[in-house]
């Protein structure tokens, strides 16, 4: 009997530690696109987004995630991580736009202002990259941000986010 209780206690402690570490990753976001363990943090953030109690909180966190990914893109230092940062920001931007389009007008007003600010910041960050960077993904994202900034209606934003394909994932080969 003691052995079974001990096993159950260890399993529960492991589960609590796992959930706690996922919550910590989602809140502190210490990893950035391109890092090996970033996918774990991304999963934790997506679970937090899905578990948001209301659509307003879900949209607010989606915009927060887009702001985080833009900051990651602005601060990227390794050339190999630029593409991963671009893809992560593109995905987060699509998600934020779609979440925002589902809100009623009263709840969406403050988030729309944040989204406008985010798009302006994204335009500045993307223009800071050298035009000869040779990355078509950067140019595509810059065009997408410009189109989103030019759009006035939230439903048109959602249609544009759904219409514009996300950037393809790329697997980079590394010498082992």
């Amino acid at each position: 009997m003691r052995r079974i209780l001990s096993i159950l206690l260890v399993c529960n402690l492991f589960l609590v530690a796992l959930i706690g570490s996922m919550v910590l990753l989602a809140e502190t976001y210490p990893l950035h696109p391109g890092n090996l363990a970033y996918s774990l943090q991304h999963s934790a953030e997506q679970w937090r987004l899905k578990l948001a109690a209301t659509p307003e909180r879900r949209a607010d966190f989606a915009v927060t995630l887009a702001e985080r990914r833009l900051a990651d893109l602005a601060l990227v230092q390794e050339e190999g991580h630029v593409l991963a940062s671009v893809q992560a920001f593109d995905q987060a931007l699509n998600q934020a736009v779609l979440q925002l389009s589902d809100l009623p007008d009263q709840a969406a007003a403050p988030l729309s202002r944040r989204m406008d600010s985010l798009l302006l910041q994204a335009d500045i960050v993307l223009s800071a990259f050298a035009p000869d960077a040779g990355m078509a993904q950067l140019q595509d994202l810059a065009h997408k941000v410009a189109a989103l900034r030019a759009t006035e209606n939230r439903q048109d934003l959602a249609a544009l986010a759904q219409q514009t394909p996300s950037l393809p994932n790329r697997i980079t080969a590394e010498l082992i």
Side-chain angles (χ1 to χ4, degrees), residues 119-129 145 149:
L119 291 172
L120 178 62
Q121 292 170 1
D123 195 24
I124 293 168
V125 167
L126 291 170
S127 66
F129 283 96
V145 167
R149 283 190 64 208

Side-chain angles (χ1 to χ4, degrees), residues 122-145:
D123 195 24
I124 293 168
V125 167
L126 291 170
S127 66
F129 283 96
D132 61 336
M135 293 187 70
Q137 291 85 359
L138 271 172
Q139 294 168 353
D140 292 344
L141 185 58
H143 293 303
K144 179 179 182 175
V145 167

Side-chain angles (χ1 to χ4, degrees), residues 7 9-10 15 18 23 31-32 37 40-41 54 68 82 89 110 145 149 153-155 161 165-168 170 174 176:
I7 291 172
L9 180 64
V10 168
L15 186 62
L18 180 67
V23 168
L31 305 171
H32 306 286
L40 184 64
Q41 175 183 308
T54 63
R68 288 179 186 178
V82 172
F89 176 64
V145 167
R149 283 190 64 208
N153 190 351
R154 283 187 299 122
Q155 278 64 35
S166 282
L167 300 174
R170 186 183 81 167
E174 293 184 16
I176 299 177

